[in-house]
């Protein structure tokens, strides 16, 4: 039996905590952390997208997984600046899976891709290392798998100061 | 009958009351997702459409017809003898405001002939439209 994949965005280092946000900021030469300035890139943020971190039984594979950026929840619109101007850049930074969390990590470097609206990111290697874009729940549906992502934002020179809203989204197929 | 060889299950949730497949095999027997899992009679394959590849989960039995339903939308396909059929639910895990919310947003059905996708229909639960492509 296969139930819907259990997707979580988690930190890439121990204790691999569930993320409550992806904090984009930039560092000054003196080491101070500041909001990202117009015309600048943020510091890179590395996180993992897990399927079934809890290693429950009978969890489906997240097939044809792609990362996307939209204006917000329950919409596929991309009229706001972050999505429409494709501020968010992502590339795969690794993969792994195991019968027990957090899984065994293998480095893999994908291609830097600006995402937003119809521009989505397709992973090069799946959680097992095969050439496909999917996250398995371990090798048998009873473990965990993940894809590691390196991400940053590139703020246009024309951006105005303030808070820019957007949502990161993992789209995938699955079967029962 | 083909459907007699497929394991039946009892679902505890109601998520498949408005989103499910109904498949009629060549021998006339029927499998219904409300008491059957697609994984009980399918296998993963790589298929290609317009030079792009995707993983599809293909029924391993000969099929006469497949219907998919999603929140009032319907796709109904008769399956030619030289084609195999696949279907899947489309989901989205969206990360915003400090949490991840996963939801089923649609359902896809398609036909492949020798690993080439020849027809696909998508029931888009977000727009309320049925869209698709035929090669």
């Amino acid at each position: 039996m296969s139930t819907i994949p259990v997707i979580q965005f988690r930190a890439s280092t121990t204790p691999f905590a569930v993320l409550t946000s992806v904090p984009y900021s930039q560092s000054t030469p003196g080491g101070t952390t500041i909001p990202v300035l117009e015309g600048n890139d943020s510091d890179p943020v590395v996180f993992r997208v897990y399927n079934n971190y809890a290693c429950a039984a009978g969890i489906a594979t997240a097939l044809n997984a792609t990362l996307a950026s939209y204006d917000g929840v329950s919409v596929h619109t991309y009229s706001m600046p972050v999505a429409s101007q494709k501020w968010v850049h992502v590339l795969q930074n690794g993969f792994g899976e195991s019968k027990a969390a957090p899984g065994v990590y293998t480095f893999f470097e994908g291609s830097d891709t600006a995402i937003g609206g119809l521009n989505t990111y397709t992973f090069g290697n799946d959680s097992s290392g095969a050439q496909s874009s999917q996250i398995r729940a371990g090798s048998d549906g009873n473990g965990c798998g993940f894809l590691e992502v390196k991400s940053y934002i590139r703020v246009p020179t024309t951006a105005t100061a303030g808070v820019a809203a957007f949502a990161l989204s993992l789209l995938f197929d699955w079967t029962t | 009958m083909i459907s007699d060889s497929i394991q039946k299950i009892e679902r505890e949730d109601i998520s498949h009351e408005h989103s499910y497949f109904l498949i009629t095999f060549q021998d006339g027997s029927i499998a219904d997702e409300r008491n059957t899992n697609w994984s009980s009679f399918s296998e993963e394959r790589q298929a290609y459409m317009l030079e792009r590849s995707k993983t599809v989960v293909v029924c391993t039995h000969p099929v006469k017809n497949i219907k998919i339903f999603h929140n009032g939308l319907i796709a109904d396909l008769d399956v030619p003898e030289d084609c195999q059929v696949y279907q899947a639910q489309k989901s989205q895990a969206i990360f915003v405001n400090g949490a991840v919310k996963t939801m089923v947003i649609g359902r896809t059905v398609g036909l492949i002939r020798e690993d080439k996708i020849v027809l696909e229909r998508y029931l888009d639960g977000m727009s309320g439209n049925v869209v698709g492509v035929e090669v």
Side-chain angles (χ1 to χ4, degrees):
Chain A
M1 172 177 170
S2 294
T3 50
I4 188 169
V6 181
I7 302 299
Q8 290 177 315
F9 289 70
R10 285 180 174 265
S12 62
T13 55
T14 189
F16 306 99
V18 173
L19 296 180
T20 55
S21 65
V22 180
Y24 294 112
S25 59
Q26 75 179 101
S27 301
T28 68
T32 306
T33 299
I34 61 173
V36 187
L37 301 176
E38 68 273 21
N40 281 224
D41 291 353
S42 72
D43 296 339
V45 176
V46 180
F47 59 88
R48 292 182 179 182
V49 185
Y50 270 92
N51 181 10
N52 196 30
Y53 185 88
C55 298
I59 301 299
T61 296
L63 302 164
N64 305 311
T66 57
L67 263 181
S69 159
Y70 299 109
D71 293 336
V73 180
S74 299
V75 296
H76 281 174
T77 59
Y78 42 100
S79 60
M80 303 295 283
V82 176
S84 66
Q85 297 170 15
K86 303 179 189 55
W87 291 15
V88 180
H89 285 242
V90 295
L91 65 156
Q92 188 171 0
N93 196 57
F95 58 85
E97 57 183 46
S98 176
K99 282 196 169 301
V104 179
Y105 170 76
T106 300
F107 174 73
F108 171 80
E109 187 171 46
S111 299
D112 188 330
T113 303
I115 63 173
L118 298 179
N119 267 49
T120 60
Y121 182 78
T122 301
F123 296 92
N125 276 23
D126 70 17
S127 54
S128 73
Q131 279 191 356
S132 77
S133 191
Q134 63 185 28
I135 316 175
R136 306 193 308 179
S139 59
D140 57 0
N142 304 326
C144 70
F146 68 89
L147 299 177
E148 188 166 290
V149 178
K150 183 186 289 185
S151 173
Y152 65 95
I153 59 168
R154 175 162 291 167
V155 181
T157 54
T158 54
T160 56
V163 176
F166 72 100
L168 272 179
S169 171
L170 185 84
L171 293 158
F172 58 93
D173 299 324
W174 66 281
T175 62
T176 53
Chain B
M1 303 292 269
I2 293 173
S3 63
D4 292 337
S5 67
I6 298 171
Q7 182 184 11
K8 301 294 187 292
I9 58 167
E10 275 195 36
R11 294 206 183 276
E12 296 177 349
D13 62 88
I14 62 169
S15 62
H16 290 90
E17 288 303 310
H18 302 289
S19 182
Y20 60 95
F21 66 79
L22 192 66
I23 192 167
T24 304
F25 300 110
Q26 280 291 347
D27 65 2
S29 61
I30 291 172
D32 184 329
E33 190 167 29
R34 288 169 291 191
N35 61 14
T36 310
N37 285 325
W38 186 261
S39 58
S40 298
F41 54 93
S42 61
E43 62 185 12
E44 282 186 21
R45 294 256 296 274
Q46 283 301 115
Y48 302 86
M49 178 166 64
L50 303 174
E51 298 181 4
R52 293 183 65 180
S53 74
K54 64 186 280 185
T55 303
V56 295
V57 189
V58 175
C59 176
T60 53
H61 296 299
V63 175
K64 182 189 296 185
N65 172 274
I66 183 167
K67 295 180 183 56
I68 59 168
F69 303 83
H70 183 78
N71 291 351
L73 301 172
I74 301 172
D76 185 342
L77 300 184
D78 290 324
V79 182
E81 284 190 8
D82 61 345
C83 290
Q84 288 182 283
V85 65
Y86 65 90
Q87 69 85 44
Q89 297 187 70
K90 174 77 75 179
S91 280
Q92 175 175 271
I94 193 153
F95 183 23
V96 68
N97 296 335
V100 173
K101 184 178 176 184
T102 301
M103 49 194 152
V104 176
I105 60 172
R107 189 178 280 265
T108 301
V109 65
L111 303 178
I112 64 170
R113 180 182 294 128
E114 294 177 359
D115 296 339
K116 296 255 185 326
I117 296 172
V118 295
L119 183 149
E120 186 171 277
R121 293 278 182 268
Y122 175 56
L123 308 184
D124 186 342
M126 299 190 76
S127 68
N129 295 320
V130 179
V131 297
V133 63
E134 187 165 354
V135 178

